[in-house]
Amino acid sequence: MKERPIVSEQEMQRQREFMELVKAMGERPRRYHIVSMGCQMNERDSESIAGMLNAMGMEQEAVREQADLILYNTCCVRENAENKALGNVIWLKELKKDKPDLMICVGGCMTQEKGMAEMMKKRYPFIDLIYGTHNLYKLPEYIYRALSQRQPVIEVMDIDGEVVEGMPEARKNRFNAFVNIMYGCDNFCTYCIVPYVRGRERSRTPEAVLEECARLRDEGAKEIMLLGQNVNSYRGGGAEFAELLRRVNDLGISRIRFMTSHPKDLSDELIAAFGELEHLMPQLHLPVQAGSNEVLRRMNRSYTREHYLELVKKLRRVCPEIGLTSDIIVGFPGETLEQFEETMSLVEEVRFDAAYTFIYSPRKGTRAATYPDDTPYEVKSERIQRLIDRQQAIALEVLEQQVGKAERVLVEAVSTRDAASVGGKTPRGHMVNFAGPASLIGKFVDVEITSAGRNTLRGRRITEE
């Protein structure tokens, strides 16, 4: 992996000065609302955005219509995500008619797409700020320019970004935290836009990651999720990510998880970590995408069905109770019925705890967007429904196998369906709801699993920490 430079402390100090300049302005937004779309990486970016806006003297507003600044942190992995973002932006045009001082900002992966910023500038002139993924850290400067010059600012860098350290942050909670360890992707799967909008792979130093994790531990974090577009290629792949996990494990944080992993970079050292590290949770998101070698070849996934299944066997040999989840694409250009059946048989053999399934969505600028595709959409819809139905049945069977077990749950929130209940995850990543007060949030509770639903478990509280 090519080493990427770190944004200098001088540049970060410059951005802190812009934060103070905005804060001192008489006419500026006072309340902000962030709409975060897409993956956990975007969620983590939104925490940095919130931190910067807080430092500019603004307060978070839960109701979008009551905010003075609305920022969309967008996703473009699938066409639906892009259409949703653009639809929301169009809606803001009407809101701005009633609130002419409303500041509208759009950033994230969608704006980084080639030609997207120029299109948005022409079609949506009411947007005050458009920026890309590589220059997020310059948000204070861009907001200051937009406010002081009273004209839109469009700044999207075409080059790969740098590693940024020292940005402010506003964490959603103290006990459960995301930590970025790397950015970008070098895999260039033929269907995927990520390398074009997030750039090439670049890793943070181990020292920076460990320092952040130790600080979060001292501030009360009980679970940390290490994030990257492809975490197990950290600093070049191989055993280096496994070594980082060992060092994070030694910090004594109660729970460690990570995502997302690429099967081609799942090393023996990383597999062994699931049987050796006390704080590494038995859960792994390992996207397979398809069960056919021919489809995998056209996707440029760099592994075979047989290799993937061998990885699963190794993981379960080391950690029999590991929960595996996956991403699966149906209807990739040229997919035959026989090739789809190979995906179905792989799902049957692996028995994922959960799978995120999608009908292939062509993304302009990727190689697969040029592939001929003569399979009717109705056929693709029928296939994905078959896959969903079978995977849901398998997931229910997996959950039913948990009934009667005692599990340690980190309570995350009050149940959305029952105000007298709370919910949290088991080590394997299953969500459990059980009767209990909101005061349990952030605590570990021993729970006996009493029943299983389609997506969650129900339990009875035994003890708490």
Side-chain angles (χ1 to χ4, degrees):
M1 180 188 300
K2 182 180 179 181
E3 291 298 322
R4 300 288 176 179
I6 296 174
V7 173
S8 69
E9 173 55 30
Q10 290 82 0
E11 175 60 31
M12 295 309 298
Q13 177 57 34
R14 183 168 173 268
Q15 295 306 315
R16 287 190 283 270
E17 290 170 0
F18 277 114
M19 294 178 206
E20 292 299 322
L21 287 172
V22 173
K23 187 176 181 179
M25 297 178 79
E27 297 183 8
R28 63 165 174 81
R30 305 288 167 171
R31 297 172 297 173
Y32 68 87
H33 182 89
I34 300 172
V35 179
S36 189
M37 302 174 170
C39 66
Q40 288 87 349
M41 296 284 285
N42 267 19
E43 290 287 344
R44 179 65 190 93
D45 285 349
S46 291
E47 291 181 338
S48 294
I49 292 167
M52 287 187 278
L53 295 176
N54 289 348
M56 287 181 252
M58 304 181 210
E59 295 182 357
Q60 193 159 14
E61 170 58 58
V63 180
R64 181 171 47 178
E65 292 81 356
Q66 295 178 7
D68 307 311
L69 181 152
I70 300 174
L71 186 147
Y72 279 89
N73 189 14
T74 63
C75 172
C76 67
V77 171
R78 280 170 287 280
E79 188 176 17
N80 286 345
E82 186 175 298
N83 291 339
K84 181 179 178 181
L86 292 174
N88 275 269
V89 170
I90 294 171
W91 174 83
L92 292 179
K93 180 180 180 180
E94 298 304 315
L95 183 61
K96 193 157 186 173
K97 288 180 180 178
D98 298 327
K99 297 179 65 174
D101 291 332
L102 173 66
M103 188 170 192
I104 300 172
C105 309
V106 184
C109 293
M110 184 184 75
T111 58
Q112 193 68 44
E113 286 185 84
K114 188 175 182 179
M116 178 60 71
E118 292 77 9
M119 182 279 287
M120 294 179 68
K121 178 182 178 181
K122 293 177 182 178
R123 190 173 297 179
Y124 312 118
F126 55 88
I127 298 176
D128 299 283
L129 169 59
I130 300 172
Y131 65 95
T133 58
H134 302 324
N135 52 350
L136 167 63
Y137 68 95
K138 289 192 173 185
L139 188 62
E141 177 182 347
Y142 300 149
I143 288 178
Y144 175 77
R145 281 170 48 189
L147 290 172
S148 59
Q149 298 172 8
R150 297 290 176 180
Q151 62 183 19
V153 173
I154 290 83
E155 291 283 351
V156 177
M157 296 168 56
D158 290 332
I159 61 173
D160 288 346
E162 301 164 296
V163 174
V164 183
E165 301 288 356
M167 281 197 292
E169 59 186 35
R171 299 277 180 175
K172 286 191 172 182
N173 59 57
R174 291 186 303 107
F175 58 87
N176 199 326
F178 293 139
V179 174
N180 285 340
I181 68 168
M182 62 169 294
Y183 307 87
C185 182
D186 285 351
N187 289 311
F188 290 93
C189 301
T190 59
Y191 55 83
C192 186
I193 196 72
V194 167
Y196 305 97
V197 296
R198 282 284 185 176
R200 304 298 294 272
E201 290 177 357
R202 54 210 186 272
S203 294
R204 298 176 68 192
T205 65
E207 293 73 22
V209 173
L210 292 165
E211 181 181 352
E212 182 175 354
C213 290
R215 174 174 55 79
L216 290 167
R217 175 203 60 197
D218 295 343
E219 292 172 355
K222 297 179 178 179
E223 178 172 303
I224 283 180
M225 173 77 79
L226 303 178
L227 295 178
Q229 263 78 34
N230 182 20
V231 288
N232 48 1
S233 67
Y234 174 78
R235 295 180 68 83
E240 293 189 66
F241 178 52
E243 176 58 27
L244 178 69
L245 276 177
R246 293 181 188 281
R247 296 177 68 181
V248 175
N249 183 77
D250 290 342
L251 295 175
I253 298 161
S254 298
R255 289 184 169 182
I256 304 167
R257 303 183 196 271
F258 61 86
M259 70 182 309
T260 291
S261 292
H262 195 297
K264 77 176 180 64
D265 294 317
L266 188 61
S267 65
D268 288 340
E269 292 86 352
L270 181 53
I271 291 173
F274 281 100
E276 298 170 356
L277 302 187
E278 176 187 0
H279 302 294
L280 179 60
M281 294 296 98
Q283 179 189 17
L284 178 62
H285 187 66
L286 192 64
V288 66
Q289 304 299 1
S292 159
N293 283 339
E294 175 58 22
V295 174
L296 290 171
R297 184 191 66 78
R298 295 202 307 273
M299 288 180 168
N300 192 36
R301 290 294 286 174
S302 302
Y303 57 85
T304 64
R305 170 197 180 95
E306 291 75 20
H307 178 66
Y308 187 92
L309 291 173
E310 182 59 31
L311 291 175
V312 171
K313 290 178 182 177
K314 287 182 178 181
L315 285 161
R316 287 180 169 155
R317 197 176 301 132
V318 166
C319 183
E321 289 300 310
I322 193 167
L324 297 177
T325 58
S326 189
D327 297 335
I328 300 173
I329 295 172
V330 170
F332 190 74
E335 179 191 70
T336 65
L337 176 58
E338 181 182 3
Q339 289 164 350
F340 169 70
E341 294 293 354
E342 290 183 273
T343 295
M344 290 291 292
S345 67
L346 182 139
V347 168
E348 200 72 47
E349 183 169 349
V350 176
R351 296 181 61 81
F352 295 110
D353 284 23
Y356 304 93
T357 57
F358 313 94
I359 292 178
Y360 168 73
S361 174
R363 309 305 295 128
K364 184 179 179 181
T366 63
R367 233 187 333 154
T370 67
Y371 291 176
D373 184 7
D374 57 1
T375 305
Y377 188 82
E378 294 76 15
V379 172
K380 297 180 181 182
S381 297
E382 291 172 1
R383 289 178 185 174
I384 199 168
Q385 194 57 55
R386 276 187 58 200
L387 174 61
I388 290 171
D389 290 345
R390 184 59 192 132
Q391 174 55 43
Q392 285 182 340
I394 291 172
L396 178 58
E397 291 167 8
V398 171
L399 291 177
E400 287 174 339
Q401 291 168 2
Q402 312 309 309
V403 175
K405 295 181 179 179
E407 294 283 3
R408 190 82 160 155
V409 173
L410 177 57
V411 183
E412 297 180 0
V414 173
S415 171
T416 57
R417 295 184 179 181
D418 178 8
S421 295
V422 292
K425 292 187 180 70
T426 68
R428 187 163 168 166
H430 297 147
M431 180 61 71
V432 183
N433 291 314
F434 59 94
S439 59
L440 292 175
I441 294 174
K443 296 181 178 180
F444 285 107
V445 177
D446 290 324
V447 176
E448 179 188 359
I449 307 302
T450 57
S451 62
R454 286 183 60 184
N455 300 305
T456 60
L457 297 166
R458 188 77 190 176
R460 178 183 64 83
R461 180 167 35 140
I462 305 172
T463 63
E464 63 185 82
E465 66 178 13

